[in-house]
Amino acid sequence: MRFVDEVLAAMLVKGPVALVLHDTGGMVGTAWAAANVARLRGIVVTNTVAFEGFRWFPIARTWGSRGWWARRRAELGMWALGLRNGRLFKRIFGAQSPQLGPEDLERFAASFALNRDAKRTTLRQFRQFVDPQFFAGFDAMWRRLGSERVPARVLWGDGDPYLSADNAHKFGSSIVTILPGVGHWVPLVAPDQLAAEVAALP
């Protein structure tokens, strides 16, 4: 949560915050929101895991493995993603996210598949994320946000290979919009729709 505080301070943000939660950022953002209700203008949720009872998809469970051999296998898989300028990564990731263009794939490859620190950090994170107890208390956080009447809107890309559209209804919001054909990366593929949801917050 301190990370969010430091980002807001660095950007000189002092007024109420419109918080957008996406992907693994939803985990950090939900905890920060529940602890900083008075600083919120509202929340927009897009394709994130920030609720209890989620069953991780296979690659996440592989990355989150804790046994010695399983960890070595995950590290070897991460290493392979960077071979030949990230060719394997771009092929797999591009097939999972066909909405992304070549420039997006190159940028993801540079910042992840070819970045040893990013891959090591990802493995450390997922060893925590896949623990069944990691999300304990998240549903209570959302109930608190609801009881405090924090405006929340959900904008969900359908066809997400990691998070199905059923998950869009797990945040207690009555305003849920499903975007057909958008997939997981809503902020990249549908920035205008996302901006409209932020603007619609009171």
Side-chain angles (χ1 to χ4, degrees), residues 40-96:
L40 289 171
R41 174 183 158 205
I43 300 173
V44 178
V45 177
T46 78
N47 295 62
T48 186
V49 180
F51 50 83
E52 297 175 27
F54 179 67
R55 177 167 172 76
W56 285 100
F57 39 91
I59 189 61
R61 295 198 298 272
T62 297
W63 287 348
S65 300
R66 295 191 177 203
W68 181 88
W69 168 241
R71 289 177 65 156
R72 298 291 83 79
R73 182 180 60 183
E75 290 166 358
L76 180 62
M78 283 290 193
W79 171 79
L81 291 179
L83 293 176
R84 301 182 67 181
N85 198 39
R87 182 175 178 180
L88 177 63
F89 169 80
K90 285 181 277 191
R91 180 161 58 88
I92 295 172
F93 190 63
Q96 292 175 338

Side-chain angles (χ1 to χ4, degrees), residues 95-114:
Q96 292 175 338
S97 303
Q99 304 86 5
L100 298 179
E103 290 185 5
D104 290 322
L105 291 178
E106 290 294 338
R107 185 161 52 84
F108 271 101
S111 62
F112 178 70
L114 303 178

Side-chain angles (χ1 to χ4, degrees), residues 94-131:
Q96 292 175 338
S97 303
Q99 304 86 5
L100 298 179
E103 290 185 5
D104 290 322
L105 291 178
E106 290 294 338
R107 185 161 52 84
F108 271 101
S111 62
F112 178 70
L114 303 178
N115 186 322
R116 292 175 60 190
D117 290 336
K119 291 188 286 189
R120 283 198 295 261
T121 298
T122 296
L123 291 178
R124 287 198 302 269
Q125 288 177 327
F126 273 89
R127 286 173 196 140
Q128 301 299 318
F129 295 163
V130 300
D131 185 328

Side-chain angles (χ1 to χ4, degrees), residues 175-194:
I175 305 174
V176 177
T177 302
I178 306 298
L179 298 175
V182 170
H184 180 73
W185 303 102
V186 173
L188 291 176
V189 179
D192 292 342
Q193 292 95 322
L194 177 56

